[in-house]
Amino acid sequence: MPSPPPPDFASLSLAEIARLAQEDRLPPVESWNPAHCGHSDMRIARDGTWFHQGSPIGRMPMVRLFSTILRREADGRFVLVTPVEKLDIDVEDAPFVAVEMKREGEGAGMKLAFRLNTGDLVAAGPDHGLRFEEREDGPRPYLHVRSGLEALVARNVYYELAEIALANGSAPPGVWSNGGFFALEPGA
């Protein structure tokens, strides 16, 4: 039976988002250690598009399924892992993209939640931090999703974060979420 479509992000409160994120049960990929079996012929592009043998995967339920068995190895490689096989997957930047953000509160009491391109919901905070890298082509913001997996924050969502950071008057500029402070300046 196909899984139900994800709820409309805009209609959810942050408390509902946190509850849904907590209820999202993922396979125990950290406990699976099968022999390495090769390469999956899959790639995740910088914009979050998943490819198999050079063609985009157009079925979002399939992308969602693959995303649940994605793991980052200690050496930095990304793999798709099941109890019986482990296959490399190429990731151009981050395996997820944070495409939408919701906020409640102000200052140190602020809470931020994100919807990923896979439909996953992540509430930013001490366990799901935001970090910012400066690159030649400009700043790159990332959100920790789980177990070393991150989401690149989409440019429009980054602009929302920057607007919040500049308006709150913190030094260095940054944002609060669920008790954690995240400076927009790398290394700050």
Side-chain angles (χ1 to χ4, degrees), residues 54-128:
S55 297
I57 300 174
R59 294 182 50 217
M60 278 311 296
M62 186 66 73
V63 169
R64 171 78 178 129
L65 174 66
F66 285 132
S67 75
T68 66
I69 61 168
L70 183 65
R71 181 172 82 190
R72 186 135 197 207
E73 299 289 87
D75 64 6
R77 290 180 305 127
F78 294 92
V79 294
L80 297 172
V81 63
T82 70
V84 296
E85 68 181 347
K86 179 169 46 172
L87 300 168
D88 292 325
I89 180 171
D90 298 324
V91 178
E92 290 180 2
D93 192 338
F96 302 102
V97 179
V99 296
E100 197 171 358
M101 181 182 76
K102 196 166 195 169
R103 102 181 205 200
E104 287 180 1
E106 297 293 326
M110 185 181 310
K111 295 179 180 182
L112 301 172
F114 298 83
R115 183 178 61 81
L116 307 184
N117 60 319
T118 56
D120 292 293
L121 304 174
V122 179
D127 293 334
H128 298 281

Side-chain angles (χ1 to χ4, degrees), residues 1-38:
M1 176 191 292
S3 60
D8 178 43
F9 187 72
S11 69
L12 296 172
S13 71
L14 262 66
E16 290 169 318
I17 290 170
R19 180 185 55 78
L20 287 168
Q22 187 71 23
E23 289 174 359
D24 193 15
R25 301 286 180 238
L26 295 168
V29 297
E30 285 78 23
S31 66
W32 295 339
N33 292 301
H36 184 261
C37 298

